[in-house]
Amino acid sequence: TYEELIQYGIVNPEAQKKNPHVALGSKHSLGGNPRAPVLVVVGVDERDLDASPWGNDWGEGCRFPVVRK
C-alpha cells in the first residue's frame, strides 16, 4: 500500500536515494490509466512520492520492497 511504501521510505531514506522503490501491491487508476506508487529522488536530496504507469519499463535499478503477501 501507499502507507507501507511511505513507512519504508521513512525508515530507509538512504535506500531510496540509491534506487526508485515501486510498490506493486497498490494499483490504482489516474486519468483512466493504471498506476503504481513509486518513491524517487528528485534533484540532489529531495525525495518524492510519484505514481508511475503500470507496466512501465522499470529498469534493473528499481527496487520492489513492498509487495502483496
Side-chain angles (χ1 to χ4, degrees):
T1 66
Y2 275 97
E3 291 82 10
E4 291 169 321
L5 186 63
I6 292 168
Q7 289 170 2
Y8 180 87
I10 290 169
V11 174
N12 301 290
E14 292 304 315
Q16 181 185 347
K17 290 179 182 178
K18 294 177 185 175
N19 303 93
H21 285 70
V22 183
L24 295 179
S26 292
K27 185 176 177 182
H28 71 277
S29 179
L30 182 65
N33 300 312
R35 303 242 174 198
V38 182
L39 285 176
V40 295
V41 172
V42 181
V44 178
D45 278 330
E46 183 180 335
R47 298 184 299 153
D48 190 26
L49 176 63
D50 198 1
S52 184
W54 190 263
N56 189 16
D57 185 20
W58 293 308
E60 63 184 50
C62 291
R63 298 293 177 255
F64 304 90
V66 184
V67 293
R68 191 165 296 192
K69 294 179 183 179

